[in-house]
Amino acid sequence: MAVSFSDLSSAAGLKKLDEYLLTRSYITGYQASKDDLTVYAAIAKPPSSDYVNVSRWFNHIDALLRISGVSGEGSGVTIEGSALVSDAIATPPATDTKARFDGYVDLKAVAADDDDDDDDDDVDLFGEETEEEKKASEERAAAAKAAGKKKVVGKSSVVLDIKPWDDETDMKVLEEKVRSVQQEGLLWGASKLVPVGYGIKKLQIMITIVDDLVSVDSLIEDYLTAEPINEYVQSVDIVAFNKILSCVFKHCDTFIR
């Protein structure tokens, strides 16, 4: 038996449809059919949430049209006061499921056969990346990989005690000789003279080194206590040896004055 509704562009028509759908999922039968499409086409715009049942049904049919279409034949339905396009086809193409003309869905226009395989390239139902998104993703991955390969540079802060031969050693010249030693990864810092006894003073000096480039033991043996600096330097002792981030500020008050 055919179902009939009044003009669904009016509040009265929507109210009647809302009451009708109170106990139904579809216009007729137990699956979406052409009857649902006919009523769907007669509704000029998504119904207000005030019409709870109509809104629920409308969104469901709209989703079916976007995903897979509607194949049921239905039992027949008429809409009074609506100028509908006849011969509604139930499988609209995914690229344009809601082409509207004068407030109605042109179901004949959107039902063209989707035989052209190229049309599939325009639809991204499963969230596949576009070429631009794929390129951006590859660039991010390359940057992350490059960042992961960056070598962490370890640095240390070292305090040295440099003792002269006697109280007659010119400590100013001694310091100049010491600071003349230059290596990649070696930075001379603050210094001061510390009394030892009997008028003798030692040079206490801070250095910052890049661990992979400078060996403190080699610095002492091959440079500071070797010719020609050993003319002024009797011995060199390591007072403190710490990672720069954990100790550089610790010694600032002591040596930087």
Side-chain angles (χ1 to χ4, degrees):
M1 179 177 179
V3 180
S4 177
F5 296 101
S6 299
D7 187 359
L8 295 179
S9 62
S10 67
L14 287 175
K15 183 178 180 181
K16 180 180 179 181
L17 178 60
D18 192 66
E19 294 172 350
Y20 178 82
L21 291 171
L22 178 61
T23 58
R24 297 173 176 83
S25 297
Y26 303 104
I27 299 302
T28 60
Y30 300 99
Q31 64 175 342
S33 68
K34 292 181 179 179
D35 292 342
D36 292 281
L37 295 183
T38 300
V39 177
Y40 176 89
I43 300 176
K45 61 182 180 179
S48 166
S49 58
D50 293 338
Y51 304 102
V52 178
N53 303 308
V54 176
S55 180
R56 177 261 305 163
W57 165 86
F58 185 93
N59 291 334
H60 178 57
I61 299 303
D62 186 72
L64 289 178
L65 289 174
R66 291 179 182 277
I67 298 173
S68 59
V70 175
S71 59
E73 290 296 324
S75 303
V77 63
T78 59
I79 308 296
E80 299 176 3
S82 294
L84 297 178
V85 178
S86 60
D87 300 327
I89 305 298
T91 310
T95 53
D96 189 5
T97 60
K98 295 187 67 177
R100 291 182 176 271
F101 295 88
D102 297 328
Y104 296 101
V105 178
D106 186 349
L107 294 176
K108 178 176 287 186
V110 299
D113 291 337
D114 191 13
D115 293 331
D116 189 351
D117 293 339
D118 292 339
D119 291 344
D120 293 339
D121 296 335
D122 299 328
V123 186
D124 189 12
L125 297 177
F126 300 100
E128 295 180 358
E129 291 182 320
T130 63
E131 288 300 321
E132 292 77 8
E133 291 172 337
K134 186 177 295 184
K135 182 179 179 180
S137 179
E138 290 174 352
E139 290 176 351
R140 287 194 298 271
K145 185 176 181 180
K149 289 184 177 180
K150 289 182 179 178
K151 187 176 181 180
V152 177
V153 178
K155 293 184 179 181
S156 297
S157 177
V158 184
V159 179
L160 301 176
D161 269 357
I162 303 178
K163 299 176 182 177
W165 284 103
D166 52 40
D167 61 344
E168 295 183 357
T169 301
D170 189 332
M171 297 303 293
K172 183 177 180 180
V173 175
L174 181 148
E175 182 171 353
E176 290 176 352
K177 296 292 185 180
V178 167
R179 289 183 181 273
S180 69
V181 177
Q182 299 294 319
Q183 288 183 321
E184 182 181 359
L186 170 64
L187 178 65
W188 295 99
S191 66
K192 67 177 182 178
L193 295 178
V194 180
V196 176
Y198 305 101
I200 300 176
K201 294 182 179 180
K202 63 182 178 181
L203 175 68
Q204 200 165 69
I205 189 167
M206 177 187 290
I207 62 173
T208 300
I209 63 170
V210 176
D211 297 337
D212 290 344
L213 299 178
V214 179
S215 166
V216 178
D217 291 338
S218 295
L219 175 65
I220 294 173
E221 294 177 7
D222 299 338
Y223 296 93
L224 299 181
T225 58
E227 293 183 352
I229 300 178
N230 62 356
E231 180 181 346
Y232 298 88
V233 175
Q234 179 192 46
S235 63
V236 178
D237 296 317
I238 299 173
V239 178
F241 195 123
N242 299 286
K243 290 299 180 181
I244 190 168
L245 291 180
S246 62
C247 74
V248 64
F249 296 109
K250 177 179 179 182
H251 299 291
C252 283
D253 291 339
T254 304
F255 300 104
I256 301 177
R257 293 181 179 176

